[in-house]
Amino acid sequence: MKKGTLKITMLLIAILTIFGITYGNVKNKNSGAIVEDYTVDTGADYIEYDDDYYVNRVNPVDESKTIGINRAKEIALRKVPGANRTHIGEFHLDYEYGRPVYEGSIYYNGWEYEFDIDAVTGKILKWEKDRD
C-alpha cells in the first residue's frame, strides 16, 4: 500500500513540475509587468488577436471614413423608442467582424440593449435585448 501511494505521489509531483515549467511567467516587454501565459515558445512569432490591439496597432481605423459616433448613437436610439442619449452606457469604436464597428449599450425602462453598428455603413450587425 505504501509503495502504491508513493508512486502516485511521485507521479503527481512530476505532473505538477511539468505544468509549472509550461505555465511560467512571461515579462510584458511594453509595461515591465509580469503576466501569466500558457504558451510554450515554439520559435514562431506569437500574435495575440485582441481587438483593441488590432485596431490601434495593426490596422488603425481611419475615423474620417466612418459615420461618426453621433450618427451611430442616433441609429441605435431609433431602435429604442423613448430612449435618449442619457440612456446610452458604454459606447466605443472597436474592430470586429473584420471591420470597424461602434459597440455599445443602452439601458432603458428595465432593459439592456447591446449592439454593434458597422462604422462605415451604419448597418446594425448585432442587437441583443435582455432584462437589466
Side-chain angles (χ1 to χ4, degrees):
M1 182 70 171
K2 289 183 181 181
K3 281 187 176 184
T5 305
L6 181 60
K7 285 181 181 180
I8 291 172
T9 303
M10 294 302 289
L11 179 63
L12 287 173
I13 290 171
I15 290 170
L16 290 173
T17 302
I18 291 169
F19 178 73
I21 291 169
T22 305
Y23 182 73
N25 285 328
V26 177
K27 185 171 183 176
N28 184 328
K29 293 176 186 173
N30 295 330
S31 68
I34 302 294
V35 249
E36 295 179 342
D37 195 348
Y38 287 94
T39 59
V40 177
D41 185 10
T42 60
D45 289 336
Y46 174 73
I47 300 173
E48 182 177 346
Y49 288 100
D50 176 35
D51 287 338
D52 293 330
Y53 174 82
Y54 190 78
V55 171
N56 297 325
R57 306 283 167 88
V58 178
N59 189 21
V61 176
D62 182 359
E63 291 190 44
S64 69
K65 296 180 180 178
T66 67
I67 61 172
I69 197 163
N70 290 326
R71 178 79 179 113
K73 287 180 180 181
E74 289 172 16
I75 291 168
L77 286 169
R78 271 192 268 141
K79 294 267 299 178
V80 185
N84 60 46
R85 289 182 177 267
T86 64
H87 298 110
I88 295 175
E90 175 186 342
F91 205 98
H92 63 274
L93 184 61
D94 204 349
Y95 197 89
E96 291 184 19
Y97 313 105
R99 60 183 150 223
V101 298
Y102 288 104
E103 187 175 277
S105 57
I106 296 173
Y107 299 92
Y108 181 69
N109 217 11
W111 290 94
E112 176 187 14
Y113 304 85
E114 292 184 5
F115 50 86
D116 291 343
I117 298 173
D118 188 297
V120 177
T121 67
K123 179 181 176 185
I124 296 174
L125 303 172
K126 178 184 96 171
W127 188 267
E128 295 177 358
K129 177 181 173 182
D130 290 317
R131 272 283 178 201
D132 188 21

